[in-house]
DNA sequence: TATTGTTATACTCTATAACTATA
DNA sequence: TATAGTTATAGAGTATAACAATA
């Protein structure tokens, strides 16, 4: 059980943390909002999936996911094919064009982080990732989510879809 | 220099981290948005200050601060008195009513965190706070310019344009 | 001329609710 | 009846730009 001061400090850090996200969100390519970028990244990382699955990974309502996906589909960056097993569902898939956008996106964010985290050691970054992952699990789990994931496991970068990953 | 995989994983964590903030933002008292709550917390923590100072602590544009502050002032939770030393400035001060709201706010957020972080040790929480603080510093500090920097990039013209979603 | 703060405007993200089409 | 997904609407956060008052 932590001290109250610690909790209040954590609240403060969380409250002010948006600045990091905002900064990172500025590098998205034209016509690709940070929200859409997150969709591309998840599709590149986990491969094809359904709306509901994506929605869960994004931890937002499906209506939100739907809009981001529609935006990307309009630009030809992802594909929505009907699920033969359930005609209500649609399978989302990154297109080659979407893969290119994702690659550029990835390049830019890695470049930004490499510059910002110049002074960080691998171990420190690893610790931060681990703790953030765990915090998300502590929050996202016990509530709205009808689905539990084995939490403290930053999913290893899974296989990318064909033309997706930045080769660099 | 960290591995690219680490950077990409960190991007993923940052992208998904909003869920924690959203969850925490749900506990604010009536008429007090998360943004306004942050203002109350900073005034309670640092004492009286000017708009510009508050704006810097919040790490948002002063126009944003101005709106939050106006909201709180309308409710009598903070006070805006003219600065005798500089008539352009206004000194912000928490009122007793504002202090009460802040106390309730604090109570609720601490309660929420205590529940969510049931399994965390003091040390782990301390580490998370330390790393988040450092990450914020790495981002917010090096450059006060929240603007696009065309810095060390005289690179091969990528297939995508710079982000210009919110042009002049 | 530069700075402090306010206001108007616009854009993104989000959830809720109503709706459709399947199951 | 319940579920997958879409759309409309509303609320919060933010930045930019134009403006007022003062330095």
């Amino acid at each position: 059980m932590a001290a109250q001061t610690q909790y209040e400090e954590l609240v403060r850090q969380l409250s002010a943390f948006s600045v990091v996200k905002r900064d990172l969100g500025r590098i998205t390519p034209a016509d690709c909002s940070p929200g859409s970028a997150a969709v591309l990244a998840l599709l590149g990382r986990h491969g094809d999936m359904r709306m509901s699955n994506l929605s869960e990974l994004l931890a937002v309502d499906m209506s939100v996911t739907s809009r981001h996906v529609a935006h990307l589909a309009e630009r030809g960056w992802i594909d929505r094919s009907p699920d033969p097993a359930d005609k209500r569902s649609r399978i989302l898939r990154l297109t080659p064009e979407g893969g290119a956008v994702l690659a550029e996106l990835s390049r830019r964010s890695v470049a930004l982080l490499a510059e910002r985290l110049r002074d960080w050691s691998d171990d420190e970054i690893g610790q931060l990732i681990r703790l953030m992952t765990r915090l998300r699990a502590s929050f996202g789990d016990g509530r709205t989510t009808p689905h539990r994931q084995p939490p403290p496991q930053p999913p290893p970068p899974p296989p990318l879809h064909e033309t997706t990953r930045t080769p660099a």
Side-chain angles (χ1 to χ4, degrees), chain A:
Chain A
M1 176 55 72
Q4 167 154 346
T5 325
Q6 246 186 335
Y7 288 144
E8 295 187 335
E9 178 58 26
L10 184 52
V11 171
R12 156 77 179 130
Q13 289 308 319
L14 287 168
S15 163
F17 210 56
S18 333
V19 67
V20 176
K21 273 202 67 178
R22 281 204 303 278
D23 201 9
L24 208 57
R26 272 186 260 271
I27 63 170
T28 55
D31 249 6
C32 184
S33 67
S36 296
V39 169
L40 291 180
L42 285 174
L43 281 179
R45 176 178 200 144
H46 297 275
D48 304 2
M49 66 180 81
R50 303 192 310 169
M51 289 289 310
S52 51
N53 192 357
L54 177 58
S55 206
E56 195 176 331
L57 286 175
L58 287 169
V60 298
D61 191 88
M62 192 152 45
S63 65
V64 176
T65 308
S66 184
R67 262 203 345 170
H68 289 159
V69 162
H71 178 91
L72 293 168
E74 280 167 23
R75 279 150 191 80
W77 294 341
I78 69 175
D79 215 58
R80 289 184 284 193
S81 49
D83 182 346
D86 183 341
K87 281 175 188 160
R88 297 170 302 179
S89 283
R90 304 170 85 168
I91 306 290
L92 308 176
R93 185 170 46 84
L94 215 50
T95 64
E97 292 77 20
V101 175
L102 174 56
E104 171 62 14
L105 202 49
S106 190
R107 191 188 65 71
R108 290 193 196 180
S109 42
V110 166
L112 178 63
L113 280 180
E115 200 227 294
R116 292 283 190 277
L117 303 186
R118 227 183 288 121
D119 304 335
W120 290 57
S121 71
D122 282 24
D123 188 58
E124 288 168 322
I125 299 181
Q127 289 239 339
L128 178 59
I129 291 173
R130 188 177 58 76
L131 290 169
M132 285 180 72
T133 305
R134 181 154 173 224
L135 187 64
R136 284 207 302 126
S138 293
F139 272 76
D141 244 24
R143 291 169 12 82
T144 357
T145 339
H147 220 82
R148 320 271 180 277
Q149 310 232 26
Q153 274 294 346
L160 284 215
H161 222 83
E162 3 202 316
T163 77
T164 57
R165 168 78 69 138
T166 158

